[in-house]
Amino acid sequence: MYHVIAAAPAGVAFPDLFVRPADFKGQMSWLAQHGYHAVTLHRVYDYWRDGSPLPSHPIVVSFDDGYLGQHTHALPVLRKLGWPGVLNLKVNALKSRYTLPPWRVRQMLAAGWELDAHTITHPDLTHVDDAQLWREVHGSRTALQHEFHVPVDFFCYPSGRYDDHVVAAVRRAGYLGATTTNYGLARPRDIYTLSRIRINGSDGVAVFARKLEGLGR
Ligand SMILES: [Zn+2]
């Protein structure tokens, strides 16, 4: 799980959300050298559902919210490896040229990325009324489908916040699964509350490697 791919500006509130482009490149090289292959979440889902084949050591590289560096820095690194990313896009991030305007998202899709929903305004979904919950969960899916003509089959909870009521809305909206900020390996029994491995700006390649090796493979 990545957020901003850029150097953290001095004094920024959450510097660990920023991963330096050189660190990202080093982390992806580490994966390639250690036999990993990035795949979309949909391919993992297909494997879990009916055993559709996956490459050895499959890993999903996901990017939350929709930040400019995910296009300018992450896309070229992954493209060189022939790997897709998974973009968990907040719909409102399409509105600014400083985040991810539609033309940038289209280039990512053209490179094989998967587009998944991450609401419209990024609220804590456990604290909104039912009308807003549905607008954020279902409305974000239809907005992205309408704009990009791709399935948008997975959902990512803003700030990892969910409860049974939120999960029920995600299922009702037709998503096949959803990702959280719970730390660990994704497992099929948690298809609507999949864990991920958070990568922090302070990790560099060494801690990144330790996190992956610590989970076993
Ligand atoms: Zn987010």
Side-chain angles (χ1 to χ4, degrees):
M1 169 179 49
Y2 287 98
H3 288 85
V4 193
I5 308 296
V12 74
F14 301 102
D16 254 350
L17 291 178
F18 291 74
V19 171
R20 283 179 297 276
D23 284 346
F24 178 75
K25 196 175 176 184
Q27 292 164 354
M28 294 304 107
S29 299
W30 186 92
L31 288 178
Q33 284 159 13
H34 287 78
Y36 286 85
H37 296 92
V39 295
T40 60
L41 184 52
H42 215 301
R43 283 196 65 188
V44 176
Y45 175 86
D46 289 345
Y47 170 78
W48 284 338
R49 191 193 49 192
D50 60 22
S52 298
L54 280 175
S56 57
H57 309 315
I59 189 162
V60 176
V61 185
S62 64
F63 301 86
D64 286 9
D65 305 330
Y67 298 102
L68 187 57
Q70 296 168 352
H71 177 272
T72 57
H73 297 301
L75 172 63
V77 169
L78 292 178
R79 188 155 46 194
K80 209 169 274 181
L81 291 163
W83 288 355
V86 167
L87 178 61
N88 296 317
L89 185 63
K90 175 182 73 173
V91 171
N92 277 355
L94 293 165
K95 289 182 177 172
S96 166
R97 64 194 170 101
Y98 300 108
T99 48
L100 282 185
W103 71 269
R104 292 188 187 273
V105 174
R106 279 192 196 97
Q107 287 192 351
M108 296 157 98
L109 296 174
W113 285 46
E114 175 179 294
L115 181 62
D116 292 327
H118 193 42
T119 73
I120 297 169
T121 68
H122 207 277
D124 176 345
L125 291 175
T126 65
H127 283 99
V128 298
D129 65 25
D130 283 355
Q132 192 187 350
L133 176 62
W134 189 244
R135 202 160 54 238
E136 296 283 356
V137 169
H138 178 255
S140 60
R141 184 173 195 218
T142 54
L144 294 177
Q145 287 173 329
H146 189 257
E147 177 73 35
F148 299 107
H149 308 287
V150 291
V152 193
D153 278 335
F154 299 90
F155 184 80
C156 176
Y157 304 102
S159 310
R161 301 281 298 161
Y162 65 89
D163 57 20
D164 289 349
H165 190 59
V166 172
V167 172
V170 168
R171 298 177 79 119
R172 204 174 332 123
Y175 293 102
L176 302 176
T179 51
T180 68
T181 56
N182 302 338
Y183 191 93
L185 289 177
R187 298 181 191 283
R189 64 166 182 258
D190 308 318
I191 192 66
Y192 284 99
T193 54
L194 294 169
S195 297
R196 292 188 291 168
I197 301 159
R198 179 186 289 275
I199 305 304
N200 292 320
S202 53
D203 287 353
V205 175
V207 174
F208 174 91
R210 224 174 301 145
K211 283 180 172 177
L212 292 178
E213 284 169 338
L215 291 160
R217 12 190 282 192

